[in-house]
Amino acid sequence: MTDVQAGAAVNYRAARTLPIRAEWRRQWSRARTRWALGLMVLLPVIILIAFQFDSTGDDDNGGGEFGSLIDLATSGGLNFTLFCLYVSATFLLVVAVALFCGDTVASEAQWGSLRYLLAVPVPRARLVAVKLVVALGYSGLALLTLAGTALAIGTARYGWEPLRSTVANEIAAGPGLLRLLGILGYLAVVLLVVAGLAFLLSVTTDAPLGAVGGAVLVWILSSILDQITALGFVRNLLPTHYSTAWLGLLSTPVQVDDIVKGVISAVVYATLFWSLAFWRFTRKDVTS
Amino acid sequence: MSPPLSRARRRLFAAGAVLLVLAGVGTWAAWPDDPDYRTQDARITVRSGPGGDEPVDLDTRLFLPDGASATDTVPAVLLAHGFGGTKESTYADAEELAGIGYAVLTWTARGFGRSGGQIHLDNPDYEVRDAQRLVDWLAARPEISTDGPGDPRVGVVGSSYGGGLALLLAAQDQRVDAAVPMATWNDLANAFLPESTGRGPVDGVFKKTWAGLFFGNGAGVGLGALGDSAAAPDPAALAGAALPGLDPSCGRFAADVCAAYQRIATTGRADQAAVDLLRRSSPAGVLDRIKAPTLLVQGTADTLFPLAEADANARGIAATGTPVRVAWFTGGHDGGDGPQSDRDRVKFVMAQWLDHYVKGTGDAPATSFTWSRITGFNALDRGVVTSGYSDPAYPGLAGTGSSTVTVAGPAQPVANPPAGNPAAISSLPGTGGGLSSFVNGVVSDLPGQHARFTSEPLDRPLDIVGAPTVRIRAASPTGEAVLFVKLYDVDPSGTATLSSGLIAPVRLTGLPADLAAAQPVTVTLPAIVHRVEAGHTLRIAVATADQAFTTPAQPTVYTVGLPGDATAVTLPTVTGEPIASPQVIWRYVLVALLAAIVVGLVVVVLVVRRRRNRHDSSVHPEYADVPLRVDGLRKVYGDFVAVDRVDFEVRRGQVVGLLGPNGAGKTTTLRVLMGLTKPTAGQVHVFGHPLVPGSPVLSRIGALVEGPGFLPHLSGLANLRAYWAATGRPEADAQFERALEIAGLGASVHRRVKTYSHGMRQRLAIAQAMLGLPELLVLDEPTDGLDPPQIAEMRRVLKRYATDGRAVLVSSHLLAEVEQTCTHVVVVNKGAIVASGQVDEIVGESPTVQIEVSDAPAAVELLGKLAGVRSVAVDGDPRQLVVDTNGTARSEVVASLVRAGIGVERVVPRRRLEDAFLALVGESSSGSGDR
């Protein structure tokens, strides 16, 4: 390896450039990172306050079997957390992940700091890898923050109760927590598609908004197409098709078939997008 | 530089998008394959009736697989439809059977659709004989394989009404090679007049809703476990009722059937004649004649033909040694086709059955018993999810084992409402497929009309497979009672579930008025497949009126109790082997996928590492001590040449100026130096190391290229620290103080960069480039935005920087800057070097003089004759002359002019560099293109 470092400045090691900690701080210094994470704390609080105003109105959102998640939201901390995840999984978390993964490279390009990082030189593959790891780290942190806050305030307010749903028998609090962790894990995997797409766009464009918006837009488009049953088999190929399969973890025994397919779909998409991102970024002329 | 690049980018993305769309459309378009069969519609006139001489027209359709011919014959399947359907209702099933190589004959049964005749309810003389004539017809077709003359290889498949026909035909016609009756009856009288203490249909309780739906001809009976979901009856079938000449009260029903129905429906009781008529249409009496191997498929969500019907058929057929297989699926007249996993299982066992016994391929199918249990709701399509199980032999409805659960409760009075109204709702016949409503508690018992006996919570889960039994006692002031016994699964929150809405009607007679004198009776509850979770309780409810049944009209109060204070409910169980769901394959796919990704990653890392190790890291000996050496550099974007050919070098101690107009290719050259852009051709060596993007040797270069690039939300100092953190080098190497001194920002380094002026950012960027005191400093237009004192300071800084062996490369489009700052200069224009060398040499006095004279024409004439003057030209202003001398002193030229009386206003010596540069800029003052 020493010859690989040939000619480098004293103390320069390619593998030590852009340490994860440095990149983590670089992102933490940004207001939008802290705002996004703050929102993850704020949302459960807002929901909790909103529930305090509940006037026992018959507010059936028409969600069929799962609409009752809303009715059950106040039955315990676990159910409250589940509800918070349920309402944020389709959009808020998508935006947050798209923000962390779509903004990371594109904003450096926009500021012009990207070329200085490359001139350090931070090897391109390392730059992409570190940026990706940190963006995924923040995405995971956002998910955990949301769930953690919801669980904490939900338990404080509604107690440590079994996990209830109308699709299956109630699940004791202990196993219920495990199910919840499973749901978080699955959500994290599904969101890898957003992370992958946003990151690909991030290394492709100099406009952070374009990368974030593009990923969210594709996600929404896919959700809409998924509603069109006439598309038949094609729907199974949509990245959002299995995005609600985590509901299967609420039944007893757990239904993992759709979850497995969802994981396959997400992993394939994410791998594809990230491979493209690496391939593209390690070859492109940085012009910004 | 972006247009050519973004074009490539667009192309890439467009190609990707097109590929995706093509793949999607292709899959979509290719999905419904071309049919691999052909159909022939025909009206076949058959002769049947008791004497076999009554002609009737049947509307038929034959599906022939492609390739079937007289030399290449295929086996046949008779596919019968459900009650109220036509040959169209079995279309999808026929397609599938034809797809696996069977000639499929579908027809509209007599009394329905466009077929003639009247409905005799699968009467052996009518419908069954019709089907026999169709077997004859098949035997005459050359494409159909035969066992002998007039005996085709044929199986018979049907669901519900068609299933009854399949059994009756198999009993009546030994040419049938296999039968697959689905969701059908054993004894039609028992099915419509059930009685759960075993008293028989004469004492049965009339299932009025189902019977009414059938008689009204509008029931959703298009059930087929094969995916026949044509619940809507054929309009033509309905139109039959309005045909002229038909009795409006009987429609297309045969008179005897119609009369029997009317008698039963009026009284709610069946006379023996009516029971006999129904029994004639039932396989029950002829099962011993069935020699064709029979696959019995029955639904667990079926309040019309419950599992007990198939059970009776299975026992009857198996008694004579005929192979029988029983498969239960989660569906039926209430549950529809069931979930996909069940449909697939049923299709599979049916194909296996037919293939072996009709087509003659494949091993003999197992006679194992398969069933499925609801395990929850599907999160995506809101349907139920089931798990399949199998057991080596069909155990019947008593299970392979049994558990008992004790229910207790005091005797309770229950009221029979007048005329059976209001009544409990246990099932909703004819709604077809609303399984969830049963699981979710639509079921309701009315207060005062039912008695409840409850168990303790179960300490372990219990899988019920079969028909539970319970003993109850009842007393009635009239001596008679019609009661409905139900088994509920009650969860801890109190929600009660009645499995599939199945209930056991009983008619008790000879009851005492006082319960103390009442004898216990054993009630066999309907067979179910249901899991009772631990912690749940069981509830036996005994209710009076139910909407699905006819109950006594007189208001009465019965008393209902258990044999003692408590009694055991016997719950049959079967410990089956779970059938691996085909979905399990996806788990292996996932594991394989993850493994493939890991392997792929490892391969990529190894390849990259190997390539890097093979990479030429030798030091070019000649250039080992040269900070920068550029050879034949060329960069082409698409068809645009940004840098044509650039060679130069920067040596230690030099401050080299890269001078050229805007767009000359300076920045592109610097980009290549920084590893941001790959050159099209040429090499760059830094201290002898070949430079490619990301070369470690770049760490010895400090750069400012194309303006500053900072994180706007951080202070100047924080930006420098963030940058240095990214280098991964120790903080002590950075020499922040020195850099900050050069930046000269004072207290402003603590302000956010977004508040900085252009000049401040520029200085901060230069400071950043100098962090760690790199041996080569590359600065692109460093004085851009600086004010004159700062420019002067910057010049000093750069000159000082190039001492102790370091070197500086400065690009600029300003001649003066280069002249004052640099020791060496490289002049570029249009991507090529125009001049290069020491500034002193290039800037040195040139033999050219600019002279402003009072009389230009005279001066030109005079100077043109002078020996020492090479050329004279008028330069813009008519009085301005540019004189190129041949070494002649300027004083000589001036003296000559003065001597000739020409006034000399001004004499300005010109320098070489300026000549060169002005020549360039003069040619195109806007630069050599927007590069």
Side-chain angles (χ1 to χ4, degrees):
Chain A
M1 288 301 285
T2 43
D3 55 337
V4 172
Q5 301 298 333
V10 186
N11 291 325
Y12 170 87
R13 289 282 176 282
R16 277 195 221 149
T17 55
L18 194 61
I20 296 222
R21 256 178 54 200
E23 170 63 13
W24 185 270
R25 271 198 229 123
R26 220 174 156 88
Q27 295 301 325
W28 179 255
S29 72
R30 309 194 55 195
R32 67 175 57 175
T33 306
R34 295 185 301 240
W35 270 110
L37 290 173
L39 196 61
M40 297 297 148
V41 175
L42 208 59
L43 180 82
V45 177
I46 292 172
I47 292 177
L48 190 85
I49 292 170
F51 279 147
Q52 299 306 304
F53 289 106
D54 182 22
S55 53
T56 66
D58 190 21
D59 187 32
D60 184 14
N61 287 10
E65 314 299 342
F66 296 96
S68 52
L69 279 181
I70 299 161
D71 306 330
L72 292 171
T74 57
S75 69
L78 289 171
N79 271 92
F80 181 75
T81 311
L82 195 62
F83 177 75
C84 289
L85 288 176
Y86 183 72
V87 292
S88 46
T90 45
F91 193 69
L92 183 71
L93 284 172
V94 172
V95 173
V97 170
L99 183 71
F100 289 132
C101 297
D103 195 63
T104 180
V105 179
S107 60
E108 299 273 6
Q110 196 189 35
W111 296 327
S113 48
L114 181 61
R115 57 178 178 268
Y116 293 104
L117 289 178
L118 293 178
V120 160
V122 180
R124 291 191 181 194
R126 177 165 176 86
L127 183 110
V128 178
V130 170
K131 287 261 173 204
L132 182 58
V133 165
V134 170
L136 290 180
Y138 272 109
S139 304
L141 183 66
L143 188 61
L144 288 177
T145 307
L146 178 72
T149 312
L151 191 60
I153 66 169
T155 305
R157 173 67 185 83
Y158 302 114
W160 184 241
E161 301 289 331
L163 186 59
R164 294 193 177 93
S165 71
T166 52
V167 297
N169 309 298
E170 62 177 41
I171 302 155
L177 185 63
L178 283 181
R179 300 273 183 110
L180 197 66
L181 288 177
I183 289 170
L184 281 177
Y186 181 70
L187 277 180
V189 172
V190 166
L191 288 171
L192 289 183
V193 181
V194 186
L197 182 60
F199 197 74
L200 173 60
L201 292 175
S202 191
V203 302
T204 310
T205 172
D206 300 347
L209 260 184
V212 177
V216 173
L217 209 68
V218 168
W219 189 260
I220 292 173
L221 191 70
S222 168
S223 301
I224 292 172
L225 286 179
D226 197 32
Q227 304 290 317
I228 303 169
T229 45
L231 287 177
F233 173 77
V234 176
R235 288 167 67 219
N236 293 342
L237 303 178
L238 294 171
T240 55
H241 184 67
Y242 296 101
S243 60
T244 52
W246 57 269
L247 291 165
L249 287 175
L250 294 180
S251 70
T252 306
V254 292
Q255 296 159 22
V256 292
D257 290 342
D258 283 327
I259 288 178
V260 168
K261 288 189 212 164
V263 171
I264 291 174
S265 162
V267 167
V268 166
Y269 272 109
T271 310
L272 188 73
F273 289 143
W274 285 330
S275 306
L276 273 177
F278 267 79
W279 185 80
R280 175 114 191 81
F281 190 74
T282 48
R283 274 159 187 75
K284 83 170 197 170
D285 287 341
V286 174
T287 52
S288 55
Chain B
M1 323 257 169
S2 58
L5 243 195
S6 69
R7 202 188 305 143
R9 188 182 300 165
R10 270 202 303 272
R11 241 182 269 137
L12 182 80
F13 272 76
V18 165
L19 266 179
L20 270 179
V21 168
L22 279 183
V25 169
T27 317
W28 192 11
W31 205 247
D33 280 332
D34 285 339
D36 39 10
Y37 58 85
R38 54 188 191 278
T39 62
Q40 295 169 3
D41 287 316
R43 295 192 67 83
I44 300 176
T45 305
V46 296
R47 292 183 178 275
S48 42
D53 53 0
E54 299 169 23
V56 65
D57 258 10
L58 296 178
D59 185 16
T60 70
R61 176 175 296 148
L62 180 67
F63 294 72
L64 268 180
D66 286 343
S69 65
T71 53
D72 194 3
T73 59
V74 291
V77 168
L78 277 177
L79 182 58
H81 61 78
F83 199 84
T86 64
K87 65 176 183 182
E88 302 294 343
S89 5
T90 50
Y91 199 100
D93 302 337
E95 275 184 312
E96 292 200 13
L97 287 168
I100 56 173
Y102 293 93
V104 183
L105 181 60
T106 64
W107 76 103
T108 305
R110 61 162 61 219
F112 296 103
R114 292 187 181 80
S115 287
Q118 291 182 312
I119 301 166
H120 292 265
L121 288 186
D122 283 347
N123 187 301
D125 289 336
Y126 296 94
E127 281 86 353
V128 182
R129 196 157 286 180
D130 292 347
Q132 286 184 280
R133 299 290 83 80
L134 293 178
V135 175
D136 296 345
W137 184 84
L138 280 174
R141 294 281 308 196
E143 304 91 344
I144 311 295
S145 321
T146 53
D147 292 323
D151 181 2
R153 285 214 74 80
V154 64
V156 55
V157 176
S159 179
S160 191
Y161 192 60
L165 181 99
L167 281 168
L168 289 160
L169 179 65
Q172 190 159 320
D173 196 322
Q174 300 306 317
R175 292 177 294 174
V176 171
D177 297 298
V180 185
M182 293 180 271
T184 194
W185 66 89
N186 168 254
D187 181 340
L188 206 50
N190 266 340
F192 278 107
L193 295 142
E195 210 288 325
S196 300
T197 61
R199 294 164 56 107
V202 173
D203 288 317
V205 185
F206 182 48
K207 217 182 260 178
K208 67 173 178 188
T209 318
W210 272 122
L213 279 168
F214 272 79
F215 196 76
N217 212 358
V221 288
L223 169 112
L226 294 163
D228 172 11
S229 55
D234 189 326
L238 287 174
L243 287 176
L246 284 180
D247 180 350
S249 61
C250 290
R252 297 180 75 178
F253 278 96
D256 53 347
V257 175
C258 180
Y261 170 75
Q262 287 176 342
R263 288 202 307 279
I264 300 172
T266 308
T267 59
R269 302 291 295 263
D271 51 51
Q272 193 56 49
V275 170
D276 290 346
L277 179 129
L278 290 173
R279 288 241 160 105
R280 217 174 49 214
S281 297
S282 298
V286 293
L287 291 174
D288 57 345
R289 283 193 248 153
I290 297 180
K291 296 292 172 246
T294 306
L295 169 67
L296 288 158
V297 179
Q298 202 79 357
T300 54
D302 200 326
T303 55
L304 177 63
F305 301 132
L307 297 173
E309 299 293 322
D311 181 60
N313 284 333
R315 280 183 283 116
I317 299 168
T320 61
T322 305
V324 172
R325 185 175 197 185
V326 179
W328 292 351
F329 70 103
T330 304
H333 284 84
D334 292 301
D337 297 342
Q340 192 62 47
S341 55
D342 277 29
R343 290 184 220 182
D344 293 344
R345 176 166 56 88
V346 167
K347 274 181 204 172
F348 175 77
V349 292
M350 182 174 79
Q352 208 185 24
W353 200 260
L354 292 176
D355 282 353
H356 181 72
Y357 291 113
V358 179
K359 201 190 270 178
T361 60
D363 293 334
T367 50
S368 59
F369 165 55
T370 61
W371 75 97
S372 66
R373 178 165 62 76
I374 296 178
T375 51
F377 287 88
N378 184 293
L380 292 186
D381 65 11
R382 309 293 197 249
V384 294
V385 170
T386 58
S387 302
Y389 298 88
S390 76
D391 201 53
Y394 175 60
L397 299 185
T400 52
S402 69
S403 291
T404 54
V405 172
T406 304
V407 293
Q412 293 153 54
V414 293
N416 183 46
N421 192 29
I425 300 166
S426 57
S427 58
L428 298 167
T431 51
L435 253 193
S436 58
S437 58
F438 297 115
V439 186
N440 246 3
V442 160
V443 183
S444 63
D445 280 324
L446 298 175
Q449 290 188 24
H450 73 286
R452 287 182 180 189
F453 307 98
T454 310
S455 76
E456 293 296 312
L458 270 62
D459 52 5
R460 59 192 172 81
L462 190 62
D463 276 315
I464 306 171
V465 181
T469 54
V470 65
R471 279 152 63 81
I472 61 162
R473 288 189 301 162
S476 165
T478 61
E480 276 196 35
V482 170
L483 295 167
F484 300 91
V485 187
K486 314 172 190 183
L487 175 68
Y488 285 101
D489 169 1
V490 186
D491 74 15
S493 69
T495 306
T497 304
L498 179 62
S499 185
S500 299
L502 287 159
I503 63 176
V506 294
R507 185 186 300 277
L508 303 174
T509 52
L511 296 178
D514 180 11
L515 191 68
Q519 289 301 309
V521 290
T522 300
V523 179
T524 304
L525 291 157
I528 52 173
V529 177
H530 185 83
R531 183 189 180 92
V532 188
E533 298 292 342
H536 288 208
T537 56
L538 287 183
R539 178 199 296 163
I540 294 287
V542 183
T544 51
D546 192 283
Q547 281 206 342
F549 293 86
T550 303
T551 48
Q554 283 300 317
T556 326
V557 176
Y558 312 127
T559 312
V560 179
L562 301 174
D565 286 341
T567 190
V569 184
T570 305
L571 302 158
T573 54
V574 181
T575 323
E577 284 294 310
I579 298 173
S581 155
Q583 302 283 343
V584 170
I585 191 142
W586 290 108
R587 296 182 201 175
Y588 297 110
V589 170
L590 177 59
V591 171
L593 176 69
L594 293 177
I597 288 173
V598 169
V599 168
L601 266 180
V602 168
V603 166
V604 166
V605 166
L606 286 180
V607 165
V608 166
R609 197 165 277 186
R610 201 162 147 210
R611 199 183 288 170
R612 203 165 51 182
N613 286 344
R614 260 194 321 194
H615 185 79
D616 180 20
S617 58
S618 60
V619 179
H620 197 293
E622 266 180 62
Y623 304 147
D625 201 40
V626 180
L628 179 66
R629 169 82 204 183
V630 178
D631 288 303
L633 184 70
R634 182 179 169 86
K635 177 66 186 179
V636 180
Y637 291 112
D639 49 6
F640 171 77
V641 183
V643 174
D644 191 11
R645 187 184 168 81
V646 167
D647 312 78
F648 65 92
E649 69 178 21
V650 178
R651 294 191 165 270
R652 289 188 188 273
Q654 291 182 347
V655 178
V656 177
L658 195 57
L659 180 66
N662 289 328
K666 304 188 299 285
T667 301
T668 303
T669 305
L670 296 191
R671 278 176 183 293
V672 174
L673 296 190
M674 299 328 301
L676 299 175
T677 302
K678 279 188 180 170
T680 311
Q683 289 108 42
V684 178
H685 284 90
V686 176
F687 294 107
H689 296 276
L691 188 135
V692 291
S695 288
V697 77
L698 277 170
S699 58
R700 291 162 79 177
I701 306 180
L704 161 65
V705 182
E706 276 194 294
F710 292 111
L711 279 60
H713 52 278
L714 290 184
S715 70
L717 183 60
N719 256 298
L720 293 189
R721 291 194 181 280
Y723 170 77
W724 194 254
T727 66
R729 292 160 67 182
E731 203 169 307
D733 289 7
Q735 315 217 20
F736 282 112
E737 295 71 24
R738 185 140 176 212
L740 288 173
E741 195 185 310
I742 289 160
L745 291 168
S748 298
V749 293
H750 299 296
R751 266 167 46 202
R752 289 178 174 209
V753 167
K754 67 169 88 164
T755 65
Y756 281 18
S757 70
H758 187 54
M760 291 165 83
R761 283 182 210 196
Q762 189 75 11
R763 278 181 286 152
L764 189 64
I766 293 168
Q768 176 179 293
M770 287 184 180
L771 279 180
L773 300 181
E775 287 161 89
L776 174 63
L777 194 60
V778 176
L779 302 175
D780 190 11
E781 310 275 359
T783 55
D784 184 27
L786 302 192
D787 49 29
Q790 290 165 341
I791 293 176
E793 170 63 21
M794 193 54 63
R795 284 180 194 139
R796 275 196 296 279
V797 167
L798 294 184
K799 283 198 160 154
R800 208 165 51 229
Y801 195 86
T803 55
D804 21 299
R806 289 192 289 259
V808 179
L809 175 64
V810 176
S811 87
S812 178
H813 63 285
L814 297 176
L815 174 64
E817 185 176 312
V818 171
E819 197 180 331
Q820 293 178 45
T821 314
C822 302
T823 59
H824 291 70
V825 65
V826 177
V827 185
V828 288
N829 188 42
K830 294 190 175 175
I833 291 183
V834 182
S836 70
Q838 282 200 18
V839 172
D840 298 345
E841 285 174 14
I842 294 185
V843 171
E845 306 263 303
S846 84
T848 308
V849 190
Q850 198 176 13
I851 305 175
E852 189 176 332
V853 293
S854 54
D855 183 356
V860 170
E861 197 187 337
L862 173 79
L863 294 174
K865 292 174 189 162
L866 266 177
V869 174
R870 258 206 306 250
S871 72
V872 182
V874 180
D875 182 22
D877 186 331
R879 299 192 305 164
Q880 293 266 13
L881 301 181
V882 176
V883 182
D884 193 4
T885 64
N886 196 7
T888 313
R890 287 195 286 267
S891 54
E892 280 288 317
V893 177
V894 174
S896 306
L897 287 169
V898 173
R899 273 200 298 273
I902 298 165
V904 176
E905 304 275 342
R906 224 155 42 123
V907 178
V908 184
R910 286 216 353 210
R911 293 162 303 173
R912 289 202 186 98
L913 184 55
E914 192 169 14
D915 273 350
F917 193 59
L918 287 182
L920 303 173
V921 179
E923 270 173 36
S924 85
S925 52
S926 62
S928 48
D930 288 334
R931 298 191 182 206

